């Protein structure tokens, strides 16, 4: 059965409106007309999603011309068939109409034969439009299927709530592929702890008319166990913004999730171990420092000074080892933070002597784990002071896709730049070699990148890129 074609007919002449409408609806072909005299009303009807397959308009209208109406329609509905049906028969008028992307142009003198031609043009324009839409939808499904060749492809009809699933549903999760499923069944397979979150995210996507949605949740297999899945879907909306179809692909990421959980447990144990070791070292270290101070009160010896230096280095090394172990943890929850505020706070946590901090970040905002980013700044500042001297100037500023920390010291030799982020590498006599390694772990944990460059003054410059900045 051929779907009925809904035609919006606009003409200021009542006689012409009735004649054309009657002629179109008396035909055997499925044409239904709604007549208009006001162009604004027609634009609003189209904008509100009224079922209109084709607009037939006179060139001469009370408020605006037919071509101006075409432009107003094309702004939000560039593909909607639009036919000018006018008594203006001239090559220039026809050329002008097609230059404005009109679907077709018909000349009218009020004869039955011309109405038949108009009906034929309407059917051709709508048929072409519907075919193009079907091709686009098929292409979308095909492209998604190609990208997810080994995934489970699914499609949901929002009106009926029916779900069609590819054969992989049986191979992956054990559910029969030849069975009919509904959206309610799908929700029942979702882990109870994930269900409310998924509903909320889907509702938010619909409200914002979001076209793409990617979520992770647990999906029940046929044997009752749960798999972790990554579900990516494309949402197609009607002209009124109502979800019409959803097409998606599901990937089983259970192995990946279990590995991530195992890694997290290992990091927790590593952090606990490092804390214990740090505590066990610091206790005898405090005893040694105390006794060394008592010995210094009784005698003056360069050997005592050497011992004090060694104990201080052990203390720094212990702190860096603990920090390095903690840096293996994933970056925590991120929030918008002011780069300048974080840099000032970090500077206050570092022994800066007579060094100077120069801030050029203004009110720049980044999305970051505040504590971890502050920790990265602290290590960069210590590195600058250790290698640049107590009178060094450290500058923090922004670049197009991130920010930088540079100093007025001697810089980093070219042959050392590939090694500065390695664990334990240091060019200073007092350095532990872990500071920049910690910085890299924190920066990469945010999904950013860090590189070494030359500062404008010849010192060291660290550029952190791939950062989303906002004011």
């Amino acid at each position: 059965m051929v779907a009925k074609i809904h035609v919006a007919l606009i003409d200021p002449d009542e006689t012409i409106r009735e004649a054309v409408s009657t002629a179109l609806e008396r035909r055997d072909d499925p044409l239904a007309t709604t007549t208009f005299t006001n162009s604004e009303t027609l634009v609003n009807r189209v904008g509100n999603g009224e079922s209109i397959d084709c607009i037939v308009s006179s060139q001469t209208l009370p408020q605006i011309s037919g071509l101006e109406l075409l432009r107003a329609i094309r702004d939000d509905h560039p593909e909607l068939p639009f036919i000018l049906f006018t008594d203006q028969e001239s090559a220039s008028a026809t050329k002008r109409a097609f230059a404005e992307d009109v679907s077709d142009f018909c000349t009218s003198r009020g004869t039955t034969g011309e109405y038949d031609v108009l009906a034929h043009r309407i059917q051709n324009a709508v048929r072409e439009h519907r075919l193009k839409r079907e091709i686009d939808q098929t292409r979308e499904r095909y492209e998604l299927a190609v990208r997810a060749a080994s995934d489970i492809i699914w499609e949901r009809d929002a009106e009926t709530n029916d779900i069609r699933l590819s054969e992989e549903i049986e191979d992956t999760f054990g559910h029969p592929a030849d069975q009919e499923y509904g959206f309610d069944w799908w929700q029942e397979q979702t882990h109870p702890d994930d269900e409310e979150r998924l509903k909320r995210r889907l509702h938010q996507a619909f409200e914002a008319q979001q076209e793409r949605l990617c979520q992770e949740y647990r999906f029940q297999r046929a044997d009752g166990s749960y798999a972790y899945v990554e579900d990516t879907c494309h949402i197609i909306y009607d002209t009124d913004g109502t979800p019409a179809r959803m097409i998606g692909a599901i990937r089983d990421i259970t192995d990946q999730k279990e590995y991530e959980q195992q890694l997290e447990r290992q990091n927790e144990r590593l952090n606990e171990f490092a804390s214990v070791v740090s505590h066990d070292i610091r206790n005898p270290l405090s005893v040694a420092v105390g006794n060394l101070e008592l010995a210094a009160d009784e005698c003056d010896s360069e050997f005592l000074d050497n011992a004090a230096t060694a104990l201080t280095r052990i203390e720094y090394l212990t702190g860096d080892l603990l920090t390095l172990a903690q840096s293996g943890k994933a970056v925590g929850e991120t929030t918008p933070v002011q780069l300048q505020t974080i840099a000032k706070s970090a500077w206050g946590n570092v022994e800066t002597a007579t060094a100077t901090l120069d801030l050029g970040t203004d009110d720049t905002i980044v999305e970051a784990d505040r504590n971890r980013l502050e920790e990265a700044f602290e290590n960069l500042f210590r590195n600058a002071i250790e290698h640049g001297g107590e009178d060094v100037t450290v500058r923090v500023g922004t670049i197009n896709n991130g920010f930088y920390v540079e100093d007025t010291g001697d810089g980093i030799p070219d042959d050392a730049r590939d090694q500065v982020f390695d664990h334990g590498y240091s060019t200073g006599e007092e350095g532990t070699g872990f500071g920049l390694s910690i910085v890299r772990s924190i920066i990469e944990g945010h999904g950013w990148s860090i590189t070494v460059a030359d500062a404008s003054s010849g010192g060291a410059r660290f550029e952190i890129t791939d950062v989303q900045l906002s004011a």
Side-chain angles (χ1 to χ4, degrees):
M1 180 179 177
V2 180
K4 184 179 287 293
I5 295 175
H6 297 273
V7 180
L9 173 65
I10 181 167
D11 196 294
D13 191 316
E14 181 179 358
T15 303
I16 295 178
R17 289 199 309 272
E18 291 181 357
V20 175
S21 177
T22 301
L24 294 179
E25 293 192 340
R26 281 180 177 174
R27 296 173 54 85
D28 294 333
D29 305 301
L31 296 177
T33 61
T34 303
T35 60
F36 296 84
T37 58
N38 185 288
S39 56
E40 185 177 353
T41 302
L42 175 55
V43 171
N44 289 336
R45 292 279 190 90
V46 173
N48 290 332
E50 186 162 319
S51 180
I52 296 176
D53 298 308
C54 181
I55 296 175
V56 176
S57 173
S58 170
Q59 169 62 356
T60 305
L61 299 173
Q63 299 86 11
I64 58 177
S65 70
L67 289 180
E68 289 172 331
L69 173 61
L70 171 64
R71 295 187 199 110
I73 296 294
R74 283 287 181 263
D75 284 342
D76 295 319
H77 302 275
E79 304 293 337
L80 182 64
F82 190 107
I83 297 175
L84 276 179
F85 191 53
T86 175
D87 57 2
Q88 296 182 12
E89 184 179 14
S90 70
S92 61
T94 304
K95 183 177 181 180
R96 191 163 58 252
F98 281 106
E100 296 286 350
D101 198 27
V102 74
S103 302
D104 214 330
F105 185 97
C106 292
T107 304
S108 169
R109 298 186 185 84
T111 66
T112 302
E114 289 166 344
Y115 298 151
D116 290 336
V117 171
L118 175 61
H120 182 68
R121 299 282 179 87
I122 292 171
Q123 291 170 329
N124 284 345
V126 173
R127 187 181 300 113
E128 180 179 348
H129 174 60
R130 289 176 175 173
L131 180 59
K132 184 179 183 302
R133 187 168 57 187
E134 290 176 3
I135 291 174
D136 289 343
Q137 291 174 350
T138 301
R139 183 182 294 114
E140 289 172 0
R141 294 175 63 182
Y142 173 76
E143 290 175 351
L144 184 59
V146 169
R147 290 198 302 270
S150 61
D151 299 348
I152 300 166
I153 309 301
W154 61 268
E155 180 178 2
R156 174 191 173 191
D157 187 318
E159 183 176 350
T160 64
N161 262 340
D162 291 336
I163 291 182
R164 289 192 292 273
L165 297 165
S166 64
E167 295 180 356
E168 284 75 16
I169 188 68
E170 187 164 353
D171 296 335
T172 306
F173 299 132
H175 299 291
D178 56 354
Q179 186 172 321
E180 294 183 0
Y181 297 104
F183 191 62
D184 290 341
W185 172 85
W186 189 270
Q187 290 180 315
E188 290 171 1
Q189 309 313 308
T190 303
H191 195 285
D193 292 344
D194 299 335
E195 187 175 352
E196 191 59 36
R197 172 176 56 85
L198 294 185
K199 288 181 180 179
R200 184 173 63 253
R201 286 285 291 111
L202 188 59
H203 177 72
Q204 291 172 348
F206 288 163
E207 286 287 318
Q209 293 193 26
Q210 187 176 328
E211 293 185 353
R212 186 177 182 274
L213 179 63
C214 184
Q215 300 191 90
E216 290 184 7
Y217 56 93
R218 284 162 289 182
F219 185 82
Q220 191 173 39
R221 302 182 180 96
D223 63 7
S225 63
Y226 283 93
Y228 284 93
V229 299
E230 180 184 69
D231 191 343
T232 304
C233 77
H234 183 74
I235 308 171
I236 302 168
Y237 297 88
D238 285 335
T239 53
D240 63 353
T242 302
R245 295 166 60 228
M246 297 171 63
I247 304 171
I250 293 179
R251 175 171 299 171
D252 187 343
I253 59 170
T254 304
D255 291 342
Q256 173 188 330
K257 276 294 181 182
E258 290 178 348
Y259 174 75
E260 290 175 357
Q261 292 169 355
Q262 179 184 1
L263 191 60
E264 185 176 349
R265 289 192 295 270
Q266 289 176 344
N267 285 333
E268 289 174 355
R269 289 196 295 269
L270 177 62
N271 184 35
E272 182 180 353
F273 171 76
S275 298
V276 170
V277 170
S278 175
H279 179 268
D280 289 348
I281 291 177
R282 279 175 171 158
N283 278 341
L285 183 62
S286 298
V287 175
V289 170
N291 281 277
L292 188 64
E293 290 174 351
L294 292 174
D297 291 339
E298 295 183 3
C299 65
D300 184 14
S301 170
E302 63 175 315
F303 298 115
L304 294 179
D305 292 336
N306 292 337
T309 300
L311 289 175
T312 300
R313 179 170 172 77
I314 292 173
E315 185 175 3
Y316 283 144
L317 183 60
T318 303
D320 276 356
L321 285 171
L322 178 60
T323 303
L324 183 63
Q326 291 173 332
S327 71
K329 296 179 350 183
V331 167
E333 182 179 356
T334 61
T335 57
V337 294
Q338 194 175 55
L339 204 58
Q340 186 179 76
T341 301
I342 299 297
K344 284 183 178 179
S345 179
W347 187 258
N349 297 334
V350 176
E351 294 182 9
T352 57
T354 55
T356 303
L357 176 64
D358 180 10
L359 292 175
T361 60
D362 299 325
D363 56 353
T364 303
I365 302 294
V366 298
E367 186 81 18
D369 180 333
R370 180 189 179 95
N371 293 331
R372 304 307 303 283
L373 181 57
E374 184 173 326
E375 185 181 336
F377 271 122
E378 289 173 6
N379 281 282
L380 287 171
F381 293 158
R382 288 194 189 97
N383 182 78
I385 294 169
E386 178 185 339
H387 295 281
E390 294 183 349
D391 295 327
V392 71
T393 295
V394 182
R395 178 176 176 80
V396 179
T398 56
I399 50 182
N400 287 336
N401 61 339
F403 58 94
Y404 65 86
V405 177
E406 65 178 19
D407 60 59
T408 56
D410 296 330
I412 300 175
D414 292 340
D415 58 358
R417 293 186 178 183
D418 292 337
Q419 300 171 274
V420 292
F421 296 112
D422 293 345
H423 295 328
Y425 180 81
S426 176
T427 59
E429 294 181 0
E430 298 182 358
T432 63
F434 293 113
L436 293 181
S437 175
I438 292 169
V439 171
R440 182 177 62 178
S441 297
I442 295 172
I443 295 303
E444 292 180 350
H446 281 85
W448 306 336
S449 301
I450 183 169
T451 54
V452 181
D454 288 323
S456 55
S457 59
R461 177 182 172 108
F462 294 90
E463 294 186 349
I464 293 86
T465 54
D466 301 324
V467 184
Q468 186 69 39
L469 304 178
S470 60

